Amino acid sequence: MLLKERILIVEDSFIVAYHLQATLESEGYIVLGTQASGEGALQFMESQRPDLVLMDIMLNGDLDGIETARIIKLKYNLPVIYITALTDKKTIQRAKVTEPYGYLTKPFEDREIFTVIEMALYKHNIEMRLKRSEERYFSTVRSISDAVVVIDEYYAISYLNPSAEAISGWPLAEAQGKLLYDVLNLQNQETGELHVNPIQCMLGNGRVNTMPENLVLRTRQGTDRPIGEGSLSPVIDSKGRFTGLVIIFKDISQRIEHERLIKDFENGRMAALLEGQEKERSRIAKDMHDGLGQMLNAIKMKVNAEVKGNENAALLYKMIDEAIHESVRISENLLPSKLRDFDLATCLNSLCNQIEDSSTITVAFESSGSRIGLNQAQKINLYRIAQEAINNAVKHARPSFISVQLHEDEDRIRLTIEDDGRGIPATPKKPSQHGLVNMRERAEIMGGQLTIESDTDRGTLIIAEAPAVNNVLTHAQI
């Protein structure tokens, strides 16, 4: 026969203790010993650990059974069954506080004590298994890097794991019981406004939902920490009732900083590339002006001096003159000399007049705000954006009207190019797409952005905005 659990009997009546021991051993239980006092029971348990304690309430010594049971539960977490003749209300109320696993009133039948013991051992075993499961669960939750917040059905904090404590700045002991919105102060990252309740609309649907993006958490210390990759998981009981919510999210500060560094690196790389392109444009423009241009002028003078009164000579003279003008135009497009001497508004107005003179398209320019001293890099980048946008419209959109607007103030500069042409197709050709990418890159390296709105019926609107004082590329003088 398999031996059953080990039991300690704490009973000050020798006869009752002896009878209990004999009865239990006849059923296969192991009786580790009997003690007549609470002090003796606690001393006994220092060396031997039973699976269950049968405890009389009235004992010899200073400790009664209830106080002894309280210490046993606190120190050893063992199941205790009271065996006593006391049934008054005051004693029962005291005994209930210690959460006993049974309460037998003397005298009792042998079969009755076997039943209570088995139920107590089974209940304690289930509780211990549940406790171990909870400990494994909370150990897992505590160890993960994601922040985990658990709230009850009244929006009160039930649990914060260490990551949630670190991100929010709230220790669990202080946050527990507080309303969720006193601990998780969520704001829109772009506007700074308090976010519309991201949780209440999720309650009760039984699904896992993602939290909105672009959220920052205002910590207890008053700092903002961007969060992301969040989810909301309602806790539903067996009857389908909402009993709480599990909120999981990550602190994405490091990821955002990493992305910013990558973007700064890419902007720096693009700035260097564009600087190289502009230098090469300058070199080619100078070669055309000083080399090809001078050579054509010399040929023109030679033809004019030596060939006279001949129609073919006159035609040759005219063709050379046109070649000179074309070389000047190409040189000017490669690097407009006026960008070195005039402000951006004057240069853009000249560009619009040049396009209008060489085509049948009306190109209007308008300038507003106070003209400020932009650095050469910004002037060239904004000029190239306008140049690319206008040329794309002329070549691909077939517009009848193009409007270019420049607004300058102390903090920000905005360039707008709008046409009434055919718009940008959904799948543009590679050259056009390359031009759009080039414009966007120029806007980004200035610390700004490029917005493109296009419709096949209404044309295209391009807006380039950037800080008036470029703090991103102080080194790039392209």
Side-chain angles (χ1 to χ4, degrees), residues 150-170:
V150 182
I151 64 171
D152 61 22
E153 63 269 35
Y154 304 108
Y155 307 102
I157 297 291
S158 299
Y159 177 74
L160 301 176
N161 75 338
S163 293
E165 290 180 302
I167 295 173
S168 68
W170 281 89

Side-chain angles (χ1 to χ4, degrees), residues 87-224:
T87 59
D88 60 285
K89 186 175 182 180
K90 182 178 180 181
T91 300
I92 292 175
Q93 288 298 327
R94 284 187 63 217
K96 283 169 58 178
V97 175
T98 62
E99 300 178 2
Y101 283 71
Y103 196 99
L104 288 171
T105 305
K106 299 176 183 178
F108 47 81
E109 298 291 335
D110 292 348
R111 181 52 52 189
E112 187 178 358
I113 191 163
F114 297 148
T115 301
V116 174
I117 288 174
E118 287 300 318
M119 291 299 293
L121 290 169
Y122 177 76
K123 180 182 177 183
H124 182 67
N125 182 52
I126 293 297
E127 288 179 352
M128 292 302 294
R129 287 166 58 187
L130 179 60
K131 182 179 179 181
R132 287 192 293 270
S133 176
E134 289 178 346
E135 287 176 348
R136 286 194 297 269
Y137 167 75
F138 280 107
S139 177
T140 301
V141 171
R142 284 192 296 268
S143 65
I144 64 176
S145 60
D146 290 6
V148 179
V149 180
V150 182
I151 64 171
D152 61 22
E153 63 269 35
Y154 304 108
Y155 307 102
I157 297 291
S158 299
Y159 177 74
L160 301 176
N161 75 338
S163 293
E165 290 180 302
I167 295 173
S168 68
W170 281 89
L172 174 59
E174 297 182 38
Q176 208 162 30
K178 289 186 178 292
L179 290 178
L180 170 67
Y181 307 109
D182 292 333
V183 177
L184 291 189
N185 186 343
L186 300 178
Q187 300 181 7
N188 185 287
Q189 188 173 14
E190 296 178 352
T191 65
E193 298 176 351
L194 290 176
H195 197 274
V196 177
N197 185 346
I199 295 170
Q200 189 170 3
C201 58
M202 306 295 182
L203 301 184
N205 62 13
R207 300 193 304 270
V208 176
N209 298 274
T210 56
M211 290 178 66
E213 297 181 354
N214 297 322
L215 291 181
V216 294
L217 173 64
R218 176 66 55 86
T219 68
R220 190 181 186 185
Q221 292 74 28
T223 59
D224 291 338

Side-chain angles (χ1 to χ4, degrees), residues 19 53 64 66 105 124 254 343 376 453:
H19 175 73
V53 179
D64 66 0
I66 295 176
T105 305
H124 182 67
Q254 291 185 350
D343 58 64
Q376 192 69 7
E453 297 180 5

Side-chain angles (χ1 to χ4, degrees), residues 397-425:
R398 296 181 182 176
S400 61
F401 180 79
I402 298 175
S403 170
V404 179
Q405 298 178 6
L406 178 69
H407 178 79
E408 300 173 86
D409 58 38
E410 294 181 357
D411 299 322
R412 201 159 185 83
I413 185 166
R414 183 175 69 252
L415 173 65
T416 303
I417 305 97
E418 185 174 9
D419 68 72
D420 61 355
R422 297 184 301 180
I424 301 174

Side-chain angles (χ1 to χ4, degrees), residues 195-455:
H195 197 274
V196 177
N197 185 346
I199 295 170
Q200 189 170 3
C201 58
M202 306 295 182
L203 301 184
N205 62 13
R207 300 193 304 270
V208 176
N209 298 274
T210 56
M211 290 178 66
E213 297 181 354
N214 297 322
L215 291 181
V216 294
L217 173 64
R218 176 66 55 86
T219 68
R220 190 181 186 185
Q221 292 74 28
T223 59
D224 291 338
R225 304 185 73 167
I227 63 172
E229 300 179 21
S231 65
L232 308 170
S233 305
V235 180
I236 309 299
D237 65 13
S238 59
K239 295 183 180 180
R241 296 175 300 192
F242 169 79
T243 60
L245 193 72
V246 178
I247 307 170
I248 301 176
F249 56 87
K250 291 183 178 180
D251 180 357
I252 57 174
S253 302
Q254 291 185 350
R255 190 183 76 187
I256 290 178
E257 178 63 15
H258 178 68
E259 291 173 352
R260 185 191 67 79
L261 291 174
I262 292 178
K263 186 174 182 180
D264 287 349
F265 173 78
E266 284 297 317
N267 285 342
R269 187 182 66 82
M270 286 305 306
L273 179 62
L274 292 175
E275 181 180 5
Q277 290 178 354
E278 293 297 340
K279 285 182 177 179
E280 183 64 12
R281 286 171 181 260
S282 177
R283 185 191 65 78
I284 295 173
K286 189 174 185 302
D287 287 348
M288 289 193 67
H289 181 272
D290 296 343
L292 180 61
Q294 297 302 323
M295 186 179 297
L296 289 173
N297 273 310
I299 295 174
K300 177 182 174 182
M301 292 173 62
K302 187 72 171 176
V303 169
N304 188 40
E306 297 188 7
V307 181
K308 297 184 182 297
N310 188 305
E311 290 186 9
N312 290 332
L315 180 60
L316 178 61
Y317 182 86
K318 181 180 179 182
M319 291 174 63
I320 294 174
D321 198 43
E322 290 176 354
I324 293 173
H325 285 298
E326 181 65 12
S327 68
V328 171
R329 186 190 67 80
I330 293 174
S331 176
E332 185 69 13
N333 280 337
L334 285 170
L335 184 66
S337 58
K338 51 184 170 287
L339 280 173
R340 294 190 295 268
D341 305 321
F342 300 99
D343 58 64
L344 179 62
T346 302
C347 296
L348 290 176
N349 187 43
S350 175
L351 173 65
C352 292
N353 291 334
Q354 179 184 340
I355 298 296
E356 188 173 41
D357 292 341
S358 61
S359 67
T360 59
I361 303 170
T362 301
V363 185
F365 176 74
E366 181 181 348
S367 176
S368 61
S370 55
R371 296 189 181 184
I372 56 178
L374 297 175
N375 63 35
Q376 192 69 7
Q378 284 185 312
K379 286 171 63 177
I380 291 179
N381 280 323
L382 289 167
Y383 185 88
R384 293 301 186 199
I385 289 173
Q387 189 178 43
E388 183 71 39
I390 294 172
N391 287 336
N392 280 345
V394 171
K395 292 179 181 178
H396 307 292
R398 296 181 182 176
S400 61
F401 180 79
I402 298 175
S403 170
V404 179
Q405 298 178 6
L406 178 69
H407 178 79
E408 300 173 86
D409 58 38
E410 294 181 357
D411 299 322
R412 201 159 185 83
I413 185 166
R414 183 175 69 252
L415 173 65
T416 303
I417 305 97
E418 185 174 9
D419 68 72
D420 61 355
R422 297 184 301 180
I424 301 174
T427 55
K429 297 179 181 180
K430 288 184 178 180
S432 176
Q433 190 176 25
H434 176 75
L436 297 178
V437 170
N438 186 275
M439 287 190 289
R440 180 168 281 110
E441 288 173 346
R442 286 185 180 274
E444 288 179 355
I445 66 174
M446 291 188 295
Q449 62 182 7
L450 187 79
T451 303
I452 301 175
E453 297 180 5
S454 185
D455 188 283

Side-chain angles (χ1 to χ4, degrees), residues 13-78:
S13 171
F14 173 78
I15 296 176
V16 174
Y18 179 81
H19 175 73
L20 276 173
Q21 181 174 357
T23 302
L24 293 173
E25 288 179 343
S26 69
E27 277 294 309
Y29 292 103
I30 301 173
V31 178
L32 294 179
T34 61
Q35 295 293 323
S37 67
E39 292 85 353
L42 294 176
Q43 185 176 0
F44 178 86
M45 293 182 68
E46 291 291 336
S47 58
Q48 297 194 63
R49 195 66 48 81
D51 298 312
L52 181 140
V53 179
L54 294 176
M55 180 74 68
D56 188 12
I57 292 180
M58 299 299 295
L59 296 172
N60 296 328
D62 296 332
L63 295 176
D64 66 0
I66 295 176
E67 181 62 20
T68 304
R70 186 189 68 80
I71 297 173
I72 290 174
K73 178 176 177 59
L74 183 64
K75 193 171 182 179
Y76 303 107
N77 192 27
L78 294 176

